[in-house]
Amino acid sequence: MLKFTMKRLVYLVLVLVGVSFLVFLLLYMTPGDPVRMMLGESATPEAQAELRLELGLDDPFLVQYGRYIKNIVVHQDLGTSYSTRRPVLDEIMTVFPNTVKLATAAIIIAVILGTFLGIVSAVKQNSLLDNAVMVLALIGTSAPIFWIGILMIILFSVNLGWLPPSGFGSFKQLIMPALALGMQSTAVVARMTRSSMLEVTGQDFVKTAYAKGLYSWRIILIHIFQNALVPIITVIGTDIGALLTGSMITENVFNIPGIGKLLIDAIHRRDIPLVQGGVIYVAAICVLIYFIVDILYAVINPNIRLTKGE
């Protein structure tokens, strides 16, 4: 298990280095002069040159990237925002709790509703109810988040007046964003739960349990569902990272002050350090979640460690 964990840690570090390099390179190549954006078009050439020297923008690309990585590793410093002049990490930590709150609500909805629909669909295989659930799951995985959010606003806010269209200060303001964000994950969890349970249902130990005359729901929940949990847990774990990134769209549709809205606004302002820091921060969270899921997966199913080279 230790060897497996160390391998995953090495992969984690390599992925983060690759993401940071790619993000830094893309933003380095982006047209535009951040110095002019910070000082304005009326700034003198001397003032611009002084600020460029202070920020190290005249250094070669690899020197700038090396300095950036060193600041992250040694000082946990993601840079300073061009627009607010505050540390990027402070800007992120101010709004990230809102993103976590939204993603947590969405994953709770996905786990409860998706698992329930998947179990019902598997139990009622090939029935009208099963077909209806699968059609809804197909719509849920296909429909864009922003489209679902806009339809919800039109229906529940504009037409019915039940829920507020934007904001993030109350429980009622959380309902629509969480449902919109969790819709795709709910569909994925439902489909995975159904397929995993159907795969387990055909195995001999389940047929034996039915032959013994055990109560059907006991067989479904204990014998079938528990043995189908491994792929379901994997999907849920990976969906957590997807929800953190997917929240960027949801936050802008519902005007929620989270990291997604922060990054979109930073892109509009061409605030390069804030964009770099935000993307790397979100990538680090996602990679860490996938690492934890990998470890849990290997603990639940030891065969995974053998097939992946422990």
Side-chain angles (χ1 to χ4, degrees), residues 10-183:
V10 172
Y11 293 156
L12 182 151
V13 173
L14 291 176
V15 168
L16 286 179
V17 171
V19 168
S20 66
F21 182 83
L22 185 60
V23 171
F24 198 92
L25 177 62
L26 290 176
L27 291 175
Y28 178 83
M29 296 172 63
T30 301
D33 188 355
V35 171
R36 287 189 178 182
M37 186 201 70
M38 296 173 69
L39 297 180
E41 295 294 335
S42 59
T44 63
E46 292 78 12
Q48 292 183 26
E50 183 179 349
L51 184 57
R52 292 185 68 85
L53 181 63
E54 179 185 340
L55 297 176
L57 297 178
D58 291 328
D59 294 333
F61 168 76
L62 291 179
V63 173
Q64 292 187 42
Y65 176 70
R67 182 169 57 239
Y68 185 72
I69 294 299
K70 178 183 176 182
N71 288 335
I72 293 177
V73 174
V74 178
H75 305 292
Q76 294 77 53
D77 180 14
L78 292 173
T80 302
S81 169
Y82 287 161
S83 54
T84 65
R85 300 299 179 93
R86 293 182 61 203
V88 168
L89 190 58
D90 290 350
E91 293 280 350
I92 293 172
M93 296 310 297
T94 300
V95 299
F96 191 65
N98 292 335
T99 298
V100 172
K101 184 179 179 181
L102 175 59
T104 301
I107 197 64
I108 290 173
I109 291 171
V111 170
I112 295 175
L113 186 58
T115 303
F116 173 75
L117 291 175
I119 292 174
V120 171
S121 185
V123 172
K124 301 293 184 180
Q125 183 185 9
N126 297 326
S127 67
L128 181 62
L129 181 60
D130 177 29
N131 293 332
V133 170
M134 289 300 99
V135 168
L136 290 175
L138 179 61
I139 294 173
T141 53
S142 305
I145 294 175
F146 74 88
W147 183 75
I148 294 173
I150 292 172
L151 287 183
M152 284 185 171
I153 291 173
I154 293 172
L155 177 62
F156 296 111
S157 298
V158 178
N159 293 338
L160 299 176
W162 290 352
L163 297 170
S166 62
F168 205 62
S170 66
F171 176 74
K172 291 182 71 174
Q173 291 174 320
L174 177 64
I175 294 174
M176 280 200 300
L179 285 172
L181 180 59
M183 191 72 72

